[in-house]
Amino acid sequence: MINSSTESSLRKVLGSFRREEYVTLLKQWGSFPADRLSDVKKATSMKRTAKKALVQHVIQLCSVKNLSKHAVGELELIYQQNHPNSRKWSVFQLTQQAETKEKHHVATMEEFKERLNKQLSLYFRNDLCIRRHRDAWWIRLGIQEGTQFHRQTASNVVYMVHPPQSQFIILSTIKVSHKDCVMQALLNSLRCSEIREIQLTGRNLDSLATLALNSNSQGWFSQFRLNQVDTNPLAKRPSRKRKAPSSDILDSEIVFENEKEKELKDKQVLHSFGSNEQPKLQKIEYKLETKFRGCEFAPAMSLNKEPFRCRVKFEGSNVLEGIRQLAKSGLVSLPLPHHLGNVHSLAKNHFVLADKKRTRPPEKN
């Protein structure tokens, strides 16, 4: 039988599923009776069945097994793997210890789980689940607060994604009171000397991983990473379906008065962003600490010798693609400044812009 606390947690996880996901996710779970999957499939196909009744039906089928809190945590991890964009993620970079540079700091997934669990146990009681998904290790860490082990609120659950043989690990939002302990446990488990946040955050996990792991092959260079350029110039390029003409070509009334200027603009946009879809970032933020450069519009500011401090945010579903479209439309001056046109290759989306300090040459005696 399932105790009340475990049943409450299971009900919450199952309530997050979409109707068409139940059979697939329960099959991946492995803790659900395989011979009862057909019953779930039948129940989900009945559109008149309310979501609450469907969840209750699945819980009753689970009651034949003595499910633990850990098993429910594994189901929640499977759900998160299928819905990675439901959380906000931050990217951290690992630095290896000097004595382990010849050998990679990561062992097998089983050894890593054992190490991490041992390190975390020094700070608090926890429930640790690790699964491999799409060539990465997915970790769900449930932290106990208080005297009851089964009390785990959503803010006490941390998700981590680590591609093996890489120097990056991506974490979901973590409590400030837990952060130092978790960071230290990761350092010792991965045998690293330092772990630092690289100011790369967002909700699209795949885009964050791409920006961190492939920072040197973004923009125009992405065509080489995606094998869109033949290495042999004599090799026959595979046939591709002809793309539909863009809307600006279909409109015969549009006339470009300066064709050379348009060609130069298109070339600059292609060089900065390439021809592929841009990684999805929901925000790019700049913190400015520079001299005010608009004195012709605000003459009084010319008397202020202190740096002009402000924040500039670009927000949207895909900010990088939005900047590219602005450039293609001619609504921004080209070429774009380095901190704006090369965001995809800088592996960060939070910047501090400050004036360079001029160093005085040494005085001659």
Side-chain angles (χ1 to χ4, degrees):
M1 296 296 293
I2 309 176
N3 62 52
S4 58
S5 177
T6 303
E7 181 180 338
S8 177
S9 299
L10 180 60
R11 188 183 304 277
K12 184 177 179 180
V13 177
L14 292 173
S16 304
F17 289 9
R18 293 198 295 261
R19 183 179 292 269
E20 62 273 13
E21 291 180 324
Y22 277 88
V23 175
T24 303
L25 299 185
L26 290 175
K27 187 176 181 180
Q28 294 178 18
W29 186 24
S31 295
F32 187 80
D35 57 340
R36 308 309 297 269
L37 285 172
S38 57
D39 296 343
V40 178
K41 186 176 182 180
K42 183 179 180 181
T44 55
S45 63
M46 300 174 63
K47 301 299 181 181
R48 294 183 179 181
T49 305
K51 183 73 170 291
K52 187 175 181 180
L54 179 60
V55 170
Q56 184 60 36
H57 180 61
V58 175
I59 291 176
Q60 290 176 352
L61 295 176
C62 290
S63 63
V64 297
K65 289 192 174 184
N66 187 18
L67 288 180
S68 63
K69 194 77 172 179
H70 180 77
V72 178
E74 288 184 334
L75 180 61
E76 190 174 8
L77 178 58
I78 292 172
Y79 173 80
Q80 194 62 55
Q81 289 172 345
N82 287 270
H83 297 273
N85 300 343
S86 61
R87 292 182 176 271
K88 183 180 178 182
W89 303 91
S90 300
V91 183
F92 292 79
Q93 187 173 18
L94 307 166
T95 303
Q96 291 179 250
Q97 295 176 355
E99 62 271 15
T100 60
K101 282 196 173 181
E102 293 185 0
K103 295 183 179 179
H104 200 273
H105 56 274
V106 184
T108 64
M109 188 173 70
E110 291 73 20
E111 291 174 337
F112 170 67
K113 180 179 180 180
E114 184 178 352
R115 286 187 208 161
L116 183 59
N117 191 28
K118 183 177 179 180
Q119 291 293 325
L120 291 169
S121 299
L122 298 175
Y123 304 106
F124 31 63
R125 295 181 65 186
N126 65 87
D127 178 51
L128 189 65
C129 304
I130 299 183
R131 293 175 62 93
R132 182 184 291 273
H133 179 68
R134 294 174 58 184
D135 299 326
W137 296 350
W138 283 69
I139 304 106
R140 179 193 179 274
L141 170 61
I143 300 173
Q144 176 201 4
E145 279 190 343
T147 57
Q148 296 182 4
F149 179 70
H150 291 289
R151 289 188 61 186
Q152 288 180 8
T153 60
S155 60
N156 290 343
V157 176
V158 183
Y159 291 92
M160 298 173 262
V161 182
H162 175 56
Q165 310 302 323
S166 77
Q167 57 178 337
F168 297 99
I169 186 167
I170 307 174
L171 275 69
S172 65
T173 304
I174 181 172
K175 269 188 176 182
V176 176
S177 57
H178 298 155
K179 189 172 183 178
D180 289 342
C181 299
V182 173
M183 293 297 115
Q184 189 60 49
L186 286 172
L187 281 176
N188 296 335
S189 302
L190 295 170
R191 296 178 179 176
C192 297
S193 59
E194 183 185 8
I195 178 170
R196 65 180 183 88
E197 192 170 359
I198 63 172
Q199 302 301 316
L200 179 59
T201 63
R203 288 189 175 275
N204 193 291
L205 183 64
D206 290 340
S207 293
L208 294 178
T210 298
L211 290 169
L213 297 172
N214 304 306
S215 60
N216 294 326
S217 58
Q218 296 295 327
W220 184 78
F221 295 98
S222 63
Q223 58 184 327
F224 298 98
R225 172 169 50 87
L226 300 174
N227 296 322
Q228 295 173 336
V229 176
D230 295 327
T231 55
N232 182 358
L234 300 179
K236 186 177 181 181
R237 189 180 295 271
S239 60
R240 296 180 181 175
K241 293 183 179 179
R242 187 175 180 180
K243 294 183 178 179
S246 58
S247 57
D248 57 346
I249 297 177
L250 290 175
D251 193 344
S252 59
E253 296 182 0
I254 295 180
V255 177
F256 296 100
E257 296 180 354
N258 195 332
E259 193 67 30
K260 290 185 178 180
E261 183 179 340
K262 179 181 180 299
E263 290 179 0
L264 178 60
K265 178 192 67 178
D266 293 342
K267 185 177 180 180
Q268 290 174 331
V269 173
L270 181 65
H271 180 75
S272 295
F273 296 98
S275 58
N276 294 296
E277 182 182 359
Q278 300 302 295
K280 295 180 180 179
L281 287 176
Q282 289 73 45
K283 180 174 70 172
I284 300 177
E285 181 177 8
Y286 297 92
K287 182 180 178 182
L288 277 68
E289 298 179 357
T290 63
K291 183 180 178 181
F292 186 77
R293 290 178 171 83
C295 295
E296 64 272 21
F297 304 105
M301 292 296 296
S302 61
L303 302 176
N304 189 2
K305 303 300 181 182
E306 294 294 324
F308 182 74
R309 295 178 174 86
C310 68
R311 290 179 183 269
V312 179
K313 292 182 182 180
F314 297 86
E315 294 183 330
S317 58
N318 191 340
V319 177
L320 289 177
E321 185 62 30
I323 295 174
R324 181 171 76 162
Q325 293 301 325
L326 286 174
K328 288 179 64 176
S329 303
L331 299 177
V332 293
S333 300
L334 294 174
L336 292 171
H338 179 76
H339 59 266
L340 193 60
N342 293 310
V343 173
H344 46 58
S345 299
L346 299 175
K348 60 192 299 186
N349 59 340
H350 296 265
F351 301 88
V352 177
L353 304 181
D355 292 326
K356 293 183 179 179
K357 295 182 179 180
R358 296 181 179 179
T359 57
R360 293 183 178 180
E363 296 182 359
K364 296 181 180 180
N365 295 329

